[in-house]
Amino acid sequence: MHGRRTLPFLPLVGAALLLSSVASPAAARSVPGAPGCAVFPADNVWNKPVDQLPVRSDSHALVSSIGLGAHVHPDFSQSSNTLAGYGIPYNVVGHLTPRYHVKFTWPGESDNGPYPIPANVKIEGGSDRHILAVDRDSCKLYELFAAHKKADGWHAGSGAIWDLSSNALRPKGWTSADAAGLPILPGLVRYDEVAAGVITHALRFTANTTRTSYIYPARHQAGDSNAASLPPMGLRVRLKADFPIGSYGPQSRVLLTALKTYGMILADNGSPWYVSGAPNPRWNDDELHDLNNIAGDAFEAVDTSSLRNGP
């Protein structure tokens, strides 16, 4: 349903990295500007580590289809102009933010709203034009795909509203603002978490060719073929435990540690191994570009058949 994307970071001080041993998971999951809103409960699959789960029996085939020789790409940058730079920005709104009824291309799989859209709304650049908004008063997450303001109001391809205190999923077969029917915000690499020295959730990534099926927690597919070698939406991969990260810069090490512990979830079609993040002027672009040296063969697919929201 969603189109393909091909999109192209000041260093941390040592003291910031020391916070990794004391930063609470609840604090790490909240969003700046909305400290009372954790990004889903602690027992949500986004917030569960997968470093102890078994490797899938078809891991090599799936990783090969994504690209053994393709390289990791941090799909975010330090540019504050998201329409010119890279990354998926998010907005923090409140009960006074204007609400709009959005006209959807796929209304049957979209939540009616209304959606809070501030006057100076931050929109992702490129064709996807995602709008993400966290309401700090209601602790709800609003997400739109392909959002445009026209003469007769706001239009979007699809949209979803998430209760951040709930583990509820989309109905089976429904999209969201993402091809996999998943929320986008929980999987973003955010500077505030990296500055605190720890990321305590799975990340979001894309693959060029996907299967016409999905696995939990995904609810929707946008695949090309039912070939068993292709990755389904919702596939979770992790960086291999023995992959050396000591030579990488401090920002990169926090991200790579998260990829070993929490992994990342396949959420959309796009360039292989592109890791989604929010733009921030404090990213060290030169340092994070070193992640381009990591090839797909450093990853393995995780068997998440036992992983569900809740206890």
Side-chain angles (χ1 to χ4, degrees), residues 18-39:
L18 293 178
L19 293 175
S20 61
S21 61
V22 297
S24 71
R29 286 193 303 271
S30 63
V31 174
C37 302
V39 182

Side-chain angles (χ1 to χ4, degrees), residues 278-300:
N280 191 292
R282 291 168 291 182
W283 286 127
N284 184 332
D285 282 349
D286 291 335
E287 175 195 322
L288 290 185
H289 284 161
D290 289 340
L291 296 172
N292 295 150
N293 297 321
I294 303 174
D297 61 3
F299 291 90
E300 57 194 8

Side-chain angles (χ1 to χ4, degrees), residues 114-139:
Y115 288 75
I117 305 177
N120 58 342
V121 61
K122 300 173 184 176
I123 306 178
E124 180 192 12
S127 61
D128 280 5
R129 293 185 60 85
H130 285 113
I131 292 180
L132 313 184
V134 177
D135 189 326
R136 59 177 171 265
D137 297 320
S138 66
C139 290

Side-chain angles (χ1 to χ4, degrees), residues 144 208 214 235 247 267 288 308:
L144 294 170
N208 185 57
Y214 57 88
L235 179 72
S247 63
L288 290 185
R308 293 292 183 273

Side-chain angles (χ1 to χ4, degrees), residues 50-114:
V50 295
D51 53 327
Q52 299 302 312
L53 292 182
V55 177
R56 287 179 60 120
S57 60
D58 57 352
S59 175
H60 181 74
L62 296 175
V63 172
S64 297
S65 70
I66 300 172
L68 289 174
H71 291 77
V72 171
H73 184 94
D75 200 10
F76 52 95
S77 72
Q78 62 185 211
S79 174
S80 59
N81 180 1
T82 57
L83 293 178
Y86 301 98
I88 303 177
Y90 59 88
N91 303 267
V92 177
V93 300
H95 68 279
L96 297 179
T97 303
R99 258 69 172 169
Y100 299 90
H101 288 283
V102 179
K103 297 179 180 179
F104 293 111
T105 304
W106 298 283
E109 296 180 19
S110 297
D111 294 328
N112 288 328

Side-chain angles (χ1 to χ4, degrees), residues 9 12 24-35 37-40 47 76-77 88-92 132 134 141 164 184-204 251 254-255 258 275-283 288:
F9 290 68
L12 296 173
S24 71
R29 286 193 303 271
S30 63
V31 174
C37 302
V39 182
F40 294 130
N47 302 322
F76 52 95
S77 72
I88 303 177
Y90 59 88
N91 303 267
V92 177
L132 313 184
V134 177
L141 169 63
L164 292 175
I184 296 171
L185 180 71
L188 297 183
V189 181
R190 303 197 324 255
Y191 178 80
D192 61 287
E193 295 178 304
V194 171
V198 61
I199 297 173
T200 59
H201 58 80
L203 303 179
R204 173 189 185 272
Q251 293 186 354
V254 175
L255 191 157
V275 183
S276 303
N280 191 292
R282 291 168 291 182
W283 286 127
L288 290 185

